[in-house]
Protein backbone atom coordinates (compact mmCIF):
# COMPACT_ATOMS: atom_id res chain seq x y z
CA UNK A 1 0.00 0.00 0.00
CA UNK A 2 2.75 2.43 0.91
CA UNK A 3 4.54 1.85 -2.43
CA UNK A 4 1.35 2.46 -4.39
CA UNK A 5 0.58 5.64 -2.47
CA UNK A 6 4.13 6.95 -3.02
CA UNK A 7 3.87 6.15 -6.72
CA UNK A 8 0.43 7.60 -7.42
CA UNK A 9 0.42 10.44 -4.88
CA UNK A 10 4.06 11.53 -4.55
CA UNK A 11 3.23 15.12 -3.60
CA UNK A 12 0.76 14.31 -0.83
CA UNK A 13 1.91 13.86 2.75
CA UNK A 14 -0.46 11.39 4.41
CA UNK A 15 -0.71 11.20 8.20
CA UNK A 16 -0.88 7.42 7.93
CA UNK A 17 -1.10 4.73 5.30
CA UNK A 18 -2.48 1.57 6.85
CA UNK A 19 -3.90 -1.61 5.42
CA UNK A 20 -4.69 -5.08 6.58
CA UNK A 21 -2.09 -6.44 8.98
CA UNK A 22 -1.70 -9.23 11.48
CA UNK A 23 -3.35 -8.62 14.83
CA UNK A 24 -5.74 -5.93 13.57
CA UNK A 25 -9.34 -6.84 12.75
CA UNK A 26 -10.25 -6.55 9.08
CA UNK A 27 -12.90 -4.32 7.56
CA UNK A 28 -15.72 -3.71 8.26
CA UNK A 29 -14.28 -3.46 11.77
CA UNK A 30 -13.56 0.26 12.39
CA UNK A 31 -10.20 -0.29 14.12
CA UNK A 32 -8.02 0.95 11.25
CA UNK A 33 -10.20 4.02 10.68
CA UNK A 34 -10.03 4.85 14.38
CA UNK A 35 -6.25 4.35 14.38
CA UNK A 36 -5.78 6.69 11.43
CA UNK A 37 -7.97 9.32 13.06
CA UNK A 38 -5.88 9.09 16.21
CA UNK A 39 -2.58 9.33 14.29
CA UNK A 40 -3.89 12.30 12.33
CA UNK A 41 -5.29 13.93 15.46
CA UNK A 42 -8.58 14.27 13.56
CA UNK A 43 -12.15 14.21 14.77
CA UNK A 44 -14.67 11.81 13.28
CA UNK A 45 -16.83 14.69 12.12
CA UNK A 46 -13.91 15.99 10.04
CA UNK A 47 -13.32 12.66 8.28
CA UNK A 48 -14.62 11.40 4.96
CA UNK A 49 -14.20 7.71 4.13
CA UNK A 50 -14.05 7.17 0.37
CA UNK A 51 -14.66 3.69 -0.94
CA UNK A 52 -15.99 1.56 -3.76
CA UNK A 53 -17.34 -1.51 -2.01
CA UNK A 54 -20.07 -2.67 0.29
CA UNK A 55 -17.39 -3.44 2.89
CA UNK A 56 -16.14 0.15 2.67
CA UNK A 57 -19.66 1.47 3.26
CA UNK A 58 -20.04 -0.82 6.30
CA UNK A 59 -16.61 0.17 7.64
CA UNK A 60 -17.42 3.87 7.50
CA UNK A 61 -20.79 3.34 9.15
CA UNK A 62 -19.14 1.24 11.90
CA UNK A 63 -16.53 3.98 12.42
CA UNK A 64 -19.30 6.62 12.51
CA UNK A 65 -17.69 8.81 9.85
CA UNK A 66 -19.15 10.31 6.69
CA UNK A 67 -18.81 8.10 3.64
CA UNK A 68 -18.62 8.65 -0.10
CA UNK A 69 -19.23 5.78 -2.48
CA UNK A 70 -17.31 6.11 -5.74
CA UNK A 71 -18.94 4.74 -8.85
CA UNK A 72 -15.83 3.93 -10.87
CA UNK A 73 -14.85 0.99 -8.72
CA UNK A 74 -15.88 -2.38 -7.42
CA UNK A 75 -19.67 -2.10 -6.89
CA UNK A 76 -22.62 -0.60 -8.74
CA UNK A 77 -24.59 2.51 -7.83
CA UNK A 78 -27.47 0.32 -6.66
CA UNK A 79 -25.30 -1.71 -4.28
CA UNK A 80 -23.57 1.34 -2.79
CA UNK A 81 -26.80 3.35 -2.54
CA UNK A 82 -28.32 0.53 -0.53
CA UNK A 83 -25.95 1.44 2.30
CA UNK A 84 -27.21 5.03 2.31
CA UNK A 85 -23.82 6.72 2.00
CA UNK A 86 -23.61 10.45 2.64
CA UNK A 87 -22.43 10.92 -0.95
CA UNK A 88 -22.17 9.02 -4.21
CA UNK A 89 -19.97 10.34 -7.00
CA UNK A 90 -18.86 9.57 -10.50
CA UNK A 91 -16.36 12.43 -10.42
CA UNK A 92 -13.21 12.44 -8.27
CA UNK A 93 -13.15 16.25 -8.29
CA UNK A 94 -16.44 16.32 -6.35
CA UNK A 95 -14.71 14.70 -3.37
CA UNK A 96 -12.83 17.93 -2.70
CA UNK A 97 -16.14 19.79 -2.34
CA UNK A 98 -17.38 17.18 0.13
CA UNK A 99 -14.55 18.08 2.50
CA UNK A 100 -15.57 21.73 2.74
Amino acid sequence: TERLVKHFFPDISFSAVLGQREGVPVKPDPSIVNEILMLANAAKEDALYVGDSDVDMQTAKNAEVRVCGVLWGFRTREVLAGYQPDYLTENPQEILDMMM
Side-chain angles (χ1 to χ4, degrees), residues 23-57:
V24 178
V26 298
K27 298 186 299 184
D29 185 278
S31 296
I32 291 177
V33 175
N34 292 331
E35 183 178 357
I36 290 172
L37 290 171
M38 182 194 66
L39 292 170
N41 196 30
K44 288 185 178 199
E45 56 269 13
D46 296 329
L48 176 66
Y49 190 110
V50 179
D52 68 348
S53 74
D54 46 344
V55 174
D56 289 328
M57 301 301 105

Side-chain angles (χ1 to χ4, degrees), residues 40-90:
N41 196 30
K44 288 185 178 199
E45 56 269 13
D46 296 329
L48 176 66
Y49 190 110
V50 179
D52 68 348
S53 74
D54 46 344
V55 174
D56 289 328
M57 301 301 105
Q58 293 170 331
T59 303
K61 295 293 183 183
N62 290 344
E64 300 176 330
V65 297
R66 291 178 302 146
V67 61
C68 173
V70 298
L71 301 175
W72 58 83
F74 190 58
R75 296 286 186 221
T76 65
R77 173 183 292 275
E78 293 74 27
V79 169
L80 296 179
Y83 289 93
Q84 301 178 328
D86 299 288
Y87 309 96
L88 285 172
T89 186
E90 295 176 350

